[in-house]
Amino acid sequence: MGRRVSVAWMNLLHERTRLLVAIAGVAFAVLLIFMNLGFLGALTATTTNFYEQFNADLFLSSPETLEVSTTTAFPRERLYQAEGIPGVSRVMPLYSGYVLWRNPDPPHTSRAMFVWAYNPDDPVFLMPELETPSARRILQQPNVVFYDLRSRPDFGSSEIGTVTEAARRQVTIGGNYSLGGGFAADGTLIMSDQNFVRYLSPRPLDLVDTGLIQLTPGANPERVVRALEQALPADVDVYTKAGIMLRDQTYWISSTSIGFIFGLGVLVSFVVGIVIVYQILYTDIRDHLPEYATMKAMGYRNRYLFQIVLQEALLLAAMGYVPGLIVSLGLYELTLNATAGSLPVQMNLSRVGFVLVLTILMCSVSGLISVRKALSTDPAEVF
Amino acid sequence: MVATISEQNSVSVAKELAIKIEHLNFYFGTGELRKQVLFDISLDLPKGQIVILTGPSGSGKTTLLTLLGALRTLHEGSLQVLGKEIVGLPDKALIPIRRNIGFIFQAHNLFESLSASQNVETSVELTRNIGEKRQLAVDMLGQLGLSDRVDYKPNALSGGQKQRVAIARAMVNRPKIILADEPTAALDKASGRDVVTLMRHFCEEAGTTVLMVTHDNRILDVADRIINLVDGRLESDSDLETQTSRIS
């Protein structure tokens, strides 16, 4: 009994149909924002999540390399030079490139497949399928590759023993692993460096795409990075794992249109939300102009009307956000399933909070635009 | 000395008067489009008097009402509402003055989304008397014969009942002045009669001054005094009650 009558709440509840349309509108805007951020987040994750599977502490890469699938090779000597630095226990060259993969199933279309290649004796990856001695033996066989189970189904059968063509050479799937190629690659293969030379001929092995460095236990990574930077010429950069992940993420988000597209998507959804909420609030204010003017005649200040409109805006924000979040979670799940896990769209707490803030901001802006109508009512005009 | 005496005099006069108007002029528009609507109005409204303001349409009745209600800023003459001069006050300073005045409009202007009681409570909330607002609202509605309608929305009330809710909203804070513009225009004869009788009853009890604009001849008899306004000038001013003391 001791509380103010919530005019905002009662006004919203009074027009049920309008309220439902408003909630649907806000929820739709929230959903669009979540999907855009979800794709952006998934992109960021996919560009870097395979780095988690690299069995290395530091990375060497050419300064001209944009991200891991767009590399400029550097001389293998850099790795041998790095091997002499205190704290470095092992160096491993990693080669990468694209081959044209022929779908073993009809209609036998060919698509670019991303290839990782290394010396099978080096423990480059952490995937358990690649760590067994038999897997190493299979990798060493000529024209035999391991096939990524998270490649898109369009590449055809992933079954072990499947025979098809890569770069016009016969190839046999000798094993499987699960890694994923993110946005850069729809499918990936792993092969030995000897096979790499065959499939990507003429590609000499003394030019390396990415250098992998393992540290001795207890070595300080920062100190080794500094030592490497001093010892190595300017044709290679030294990264920690987090550093090279950041480089790739930054590339995808800022140097390609992808970050721009999703950023624009968020902006457009935000504006759509503002327009929807503005329309609803404006109509509501217009319908209640005599009442608002009466309140001003009674001695209410503009601040009170301001509060009513802002409260309506915030209530709409809250009521639209919740269904928007729930549907987004469903669509995230759907996207995850539709892309067979290769596009890891995942909700996280900071995004939940960020979009909530955006929603509140969106509705507040609409409230601020539409409230002018209520504030400008002249109480002398109601007579 | 002289100044002190006249000051004291004006204070004692102000105590007796709800509204004191002297040589008030009012214009709409500015520059070439400026049009004077009220000409040299001087008028005293004592406390507790019920005054009906009549006149042809366009004579400035409603404008005068909005001026007395502190709804417009004023520049010429003098207008004291409850002893406070409001000519020359900025819009912001007018707001607290409005809180001593109850407004009743031709349309009820109730929030359709709020119950009768909640509509009345919005008025009580202005006084920060929030703890008792429900009780005050229910009492007021009860006195206006709406005890069984306190939780009804305006849609479920008749025209007369809605107007009575609006009156309850205007009177619940026991204002010293009530300004009403055609309060019976939208009502049939019987409900119109009921509404003004109730108003009269309350205002007599609380010593409230009422200024009512009306064209409705059926209700002229509730007034103590009838003022006629023609073309923005006071045409006639007749006291119907001889015992009403007028201070000049």
Side-chain angles (χ1 to χ4, degrees):
Chain A
M1 248 348 76
R3 292 179 55 237
R4 275 173 175 268
V5 174
S6 176
V7 176
W9 180 241
M10 301 303 278
N11 276 355
L12 283 180
L13 280 187
H14 189 64
E15 293 273 349
R16 294 294 161 96
T17 319
R18 188 186 293 166
L19 178 64
L20 283 179
V21 171
I23 291 175
V26 175
F28 182 65
V30 167
L31 176 74
L32 287 178
I33 293 174
F34 266 126
M35 291 319 286
N36 277 294
L37 290 177
F39 287 132
L40 189 60
L43 165 74
T44 310
T46 49
T47 55
T48 55
N49 61 0
F50 50 80
Y51 280 108
E52 305 286 358
Q53 297 297 326
F54 280 119
N55 191 6
D57 304 300
L58 302 180
F59 295 80
L60 295 187
S61 182
S62 163
E64 288 169 34
T65 292
L66 299 175
E67 44 80 37
V68 80
S69 72
T70 320
T71 49
T72 300
F74 61 88
R76 188 164 55 181
E77 284 73 41
R78 301 292 167 263
L79 277 172
Y80 300 146
Q81 286 170 286
E83 208 166 13
I85 303 293
V88 173
S89 79
R90 182 171 197 161
V91 296
M92 301 174 285
L94 177 68
Y95 307 93
S96 55
Y98 287 94
V99 293
L100 215 52
W101 179 266
R102 185 169 187 262
N103 188 336
D105 309 320
H108 305 297
T109 45
S110 292
R111 275 187 81 170
M113 179 80 107
F114 189 70
V115 179
W116 301 105
Y118 55 90
N119 180 347
D121 291 330
D122 285 339
V124 165
F125 284 107
L126 291 166
M127 282 90 79
E129 303 93 321
L130 295 162
E131 278 185 332
T132 60
S134 71
R136 269 176 215 169
R137 267 201 311 280
I138 294 166
L139 266 182
Q140 266 159 345
Q141 291 171 17
N143 304 336
V144 173
V145 298
F146 272 52
Y147 184 93
D148 189 347
L149 290 173
R150 289 168 73 175
S151 304
R152 282 193 62 87
D154 321 40
F155 285 100
S157 168
S158 61
E159 216 169 299
I160 294 169
T162 303
V163 179
T164 182
E165 279 176 21
R168 297 195 166 191
R169 285 177 71 96
Q170 198 186 52
V171 65
T172 307
I173 296 177
N176 291 128
Y177 62 95
S178 208
L179 183 64
F183 273 51
D186 291 329
T188 76
L189 298 175
I190 288 177
M191 60 174 66
S192 69
D193 48 358
Q194 296 307 318
N195 278 324
F196 187 76
V197 174
R198 290 190 189 100
Y199 285 104
L200 281 98
S201 153
R203 179 59 205 275
L205 286 181
D206 56 3
L207 281 175
V208 177
D209 290 289
T210 309
L212 277 55
I213 296 172
Q214 288 181 347
L215 299 180
T216 51
N220 180 339
E222 304 297 325
R223 194 169 299 159
V224 180
V225 167
R226 274 198 299 278
L228 285 168
E229 279 169 344
Q230 275 173 4
L232 297 175
D235 60 356
V236 284
D237 285 341
V238 187
Y239 295 96
T240 59
K241 197 178 253 188
I244 200 162
M245 287 166 108
L246 187 67
R247 180 200 69 180
D248 282 20
Q249 288 176 13
T250 310
Y251 169 79
W252 285 109
I253 291 174
S254 54
S255 300
T256 70
S257 52
I258 295 171
F260 175 76
I261 287 166
F262 292 114
L264 194 67
V266 170
L267 186 73
V268 168
S269 322
F270 186 76
V271 172
V272 165
I274 288 179
V275 172
I276 292 173
V277 178
Y278 169 76
Q279 280 293 334
I280 298 289
L281 288 178
Y282 183 86
T283 317
D284 189 70
I285 289 169
R286 201 194 50 203
D287 289 355
H288 293 112
L289 274 186
E291 289 93 312
Y292 288 137
T294 304
M295 297 199 101
K296 283 171 91 166
M298 281 157 60
Y300 276 105
R301 294 179 188 281
N302 269 341
R303 197 174 54 210
Y304 182 75
L305 301 187
F306 198 84
Q307 279 173 7
I308 291 179
V309 175
L310 213 60
Q311 271 174 24
E312 286 191 19
L314 293 179
L315 285 168
L316 285 180
M319 286 189 289
Y321 177 79
V322 173
L325 175 63
I326 291 168
V327 177
S328 300
L329 285 171
L331 280 184
Y332 275 21
E333 196 62 37
L334 199 71
T335 310
L336 202 60
N337 292 336
T339 57
S342 64
L343 192 59
V345 190
Q346 268 165 355
M347 193 61 83
N348 58 50
L349 212 59
S350 65
R351 188 180 302 151
V352 167
F354 176 67
V355 177
L356 181 61
V357 170
L358 270 191
T359 312
I360 289 171
L361 195 69
M362 177 174 91
C363 292
S364 304
V365 169
S366 308
L368 291 180
I369 302 174
S370 51
V371 78
R372 291 178 310 169
K373 179 82 178 164
L375 300 188
S376 67
T377 55
D378 184 353
E381 296 292 320
V382 253
F383 280 99
Chain B
M1 277 292 273
V2 177
T4 322
I5 287 165
S6 83
E7 235 168 55
Q8 281 172 347
N9 199 23
S10 81
V11 166
S12 71
V13 165
K15 268 183 185 168
E16 307 289 337
L17 290 178
I19 292 171
K20 183 175 176 61
I21 312 174
E22 285 175 315
H23 308 295
L24 188 72
N25 290 312
F26 186 74
Y27 310 85
F28 276 127
T30 50
E32 295 213 349
L33 294 172
R34 194 163 102 139
K35 182 173 178 289
Q36 186 161 7
V37 288
L38 291 176
F39 298 84
D40 194 32
I41 306 276
S42 292
L43 190 64
D44 290 346
L45 299 184
K47 289 193 174 166
Q49 198 172 51
I50 297 186
V51 182
I52 282 184
L53 185 58
T54 60
S57 43
S59 59
K61 306 182 300 288
T62 299
T63 308
L64 183 59
L65 209 61
T66 58
L67 296 180
L68 302 187
L71 300 181
R72 298 183 193 273
T73 50
L74 275 164
H75 306 290
E76 275 187 49
S78 164
L79 168 57
Q80 288 182 22
V81 177
L82 300 169
K84 189 156 171 58
E85 178 61 58
I86 67 170
V87 172
L89 284 188
D91 198 40
K92 245 191 153 76
L94 295 175
I95 294 171
I97 293 168
R98 295 176 194 161
R99 296 186 184 166
N100 300 314
I101 301 169
F103 290 95
I104 300 165
F105 308 93
Q106 188 171 340
H108 51 79
N109 293 344
L110 299 173
F111 274 105
E112 296 286 344
S113 59
L114 303 184
S115 70
S117 164
Q118 285 171 325
N119 266 298
V120 178
E121 286 169 43
T122 59
S123 187
V124 185
E125 283 171 6
L126 271 169
T127 65
R128 300 206 173 80
N129 215 349
I130 285 179
E132 311 162 44
K133 60 171 187 170
R134 166 83 185 173
Q135 197 50 50
L136 290 169
V138 170
D139 286 352
M140 195 70 225
L141 288 165
Q143 292 179 59
L144 288 163
L146 292 171
S147 314
D148 54 344
R149 293 286 187 273
V150 288
D151 291 320
Y152 281 51
K153 297 262 172 87
N155 277 341
L157 299 174
S158 71
Q161 288 170 332
K162 279 188 250 195
Q163 197 57 295
R164 276 188 275 163
V165 175
I167 291 170
R169 178 173 63 180
M171 303 212 296
V172 67
N173 289 338
R174 308 273 167 201
K176 297 283 181 292
I177 300 171
I178 287 189
L179 301 174
D181 189 24
E182 306 269 13
T184 60
L187 305 178
D188 59 54
K189 188 180 174 186
S191 8
R193 188 78 225 170
D194 285 352
V195 160
V196 286
T197 312
L198 280 166
M199 276 173 69
R200 158 128 213 141
H201 175 68
F202 277 101
C203 297
E204 274 177 344
E205 226 168 50
T208 307
T209 306
V210 179
L211 184 67
M212 194 189 310
V213 167
T214 187
H215 283 114
D216 191 348
N217 293 328
R218 301 168 304 195
I219 59 169
L220 292 181
D221 59 297
V222 300
D224 299 325
R225 180 179 175 192
I226 295 177
I227 295 170
N228 193 19
L229 199 66
V230 176
D231 289 339
R233 291 184 173 84
L234 280 183
E235 186 83 1
S236 69
D237 185 350
S238 47
D239 257 324
L240 304 178
E241 262 182 330
T242 43
Q243 72 269 29
T244 306
S245 57
R246 295 201 60 197
I247 295 125
S248 47

